[in-house]
């Protein structure tokens, strides 16, 4: 079977450009013009695709959260026979991944103060999406867990993870 790789969409290219720029400079210095230039699109295309700067940051944050959750799903499914180990490993993995991520670094420093709201007070889409996906993972991995308990556990883990990602208190293994 021949697998054909799909070309990245304009949105993908733009979000990749955001990540590249965040790796180089603080969020306040990342302008829409710089993103458009890096993604090789017009500023109008950028605005048409994402609206404004906050929507662009939120889209990037949601995409990266999805990537983090993919890694967490792998950690849980590879340790499904030991729920405590699975969740501990998943939490350590998440905290390790976010500790070096440019967006999370920006959120956890003064340079990203405006981004903190996207992960906290205005983070409804992020919190709901991550909680839904983690709750589904818990239910799939351990069907004996009560659905309401699964949802509560997922919501608690997501909020704890975001809290520690935004304001780390120690190394992931210690946390």
């Amino acid at each position: 079977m021949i697998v054909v790789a799909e070309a990245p969409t304009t949105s993908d290219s733009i979000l990749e450009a955001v990540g590249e720029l965040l790796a180089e400079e603080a969020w306040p210095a990342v302008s829409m013009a710089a993103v458009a230039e890096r993604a090789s699109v017009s500023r109008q295309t950028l605005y048409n695709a994402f609206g404004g700067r906050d929507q662009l940051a939120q889209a990037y944050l949601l995409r990266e959260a999805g990537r983090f959750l993919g890694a967490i799903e792998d950690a849980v499914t590879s340790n499904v026979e030991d729920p405590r180990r699975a969740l501990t490993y998943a939490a350590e993995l998440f905290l390790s991944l976010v500790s070096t991520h440019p967006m999370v670094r920006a959120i956890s420093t003064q340079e990203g103060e405006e981004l903190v709201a996207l992960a906290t007070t205005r983070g409804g889409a992020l919190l709901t999406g991550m909680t839904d996906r983690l709750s589904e993972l818990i239910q799939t991995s351990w069907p004996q867990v009560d659905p309401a308990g699964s949802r509560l556990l997922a919501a608690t883990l997501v909020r704890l993870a975001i809290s520690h990602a935004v304001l780390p208190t120690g190394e992931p293994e210690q946390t």
Side-chain angles (χ1 to χ4, degrees), residues 22-82:
L22 276 173
E24 298 169 7
E25 52 195 314
W27 176 248
V30 176
S31 68
M32 295 295 272
V35 172
E37 182 179 334
R38 180 68 62 101
S40 300
V41 300
S42 70
R43 285 189 3 206
Q44 188 59 51
T45 298
L46 175 58
Y47 281 100
N48 288 345
F50 292 98
R53 187 173 157 80
D54 275 356
Q55 293 88 347
L56 176 62
Q58 179 138 29
Y60 181 75
L61 189 59
L62 288 170
R63 184 188 74 162
E64 295 306 293
R67 288 180 170 178
F68 294 147
L69 281 168
I72 288 167
E73 287 170 349
D74 292 343
V76 168
T77 57
S78 66
N79 292 285
V80 74
E81 72 287 341
D82 184 349

Side-chain angles (χ1 to χ4, degrees), residues 8-153:
T9 66
T10 300
S11 293
D12 291 335
S13 297
I14 291 169
L15 294 176
E16 285 301 318
V18 171
E20 291 169 9
L21 289 166
L22 276 173
E24 298 169 7
E25 52 195 314
W27 176 248
V30 176
S31 68
M32 295 295 272
V35 172
E37 182 179 334
R38 180 68 62 101
S40 300
V41 300
S42 70
R43 285 189 3 206
Q44 188 59 51
T45 298
L46 175 58
Y47 281 100
N48 288 345
F50 292 98
R53 187 173 157 80
D54 275 356
Q55 293 88 347
L56 176 62
Q58 179 138 29
Y60 181 75
L61 189 59
L62 288 170
R63 184 188 74 162
E64 295 306 293
R67 288 180 170 178
F68 294 147
L69 281 168
I72 288 167
E73 287 170 349
D74 292 343
V76 168
T77 57
S78 66
N79 292 285
V80 74
E81 72 287 341
D82 184 349
R84 182 182 302 260
R85 178 172 161 69
L87 294 175
T88 300
Y89 182 61
E92 284 180 23
L93 178 61
F94 174 80
L95 293 172
S96 292
L97 290 171
V98 299
S99 70
T100 59
H101 195 278
M103 177 66 98
V104 177
R105 186 190 71 241
I107 290 171
S108 66
T109 64
Q110 293 293 358
E111 65 191 34
E113 222 172 282
E114 65 188 275
L115 297 174
V116 172
L118 294 176
T120 56
T121 58
R122 292 186 0 229
L126 177 68
L127 292 171
T128 301
M130 290 180 72
T131 298
D132 290 347
R133 195 160 159 191
L134 186 56
S135 180
E136 182 180 317
L137 174 62
I138 292 167
Q139 282 289 206
T140 302
S141 300
W142 304 290
Q144 68 276 20
V145 175
D146 171 62
S150 169
R151 180 87 184 155
L152 178 61
L153 175 60

Side-chain angles (χ1 to χ4, degrees), residues 95 99 108 160-175:
L95 293 172
S99 70
S108 66
L160 280 171
I162 289 173
S163 175
H164 282 283
V166 170
L167 190 59
T169 57
E171 295 299 314
E173 304 80 34
Q174 295 168 327
T175 302

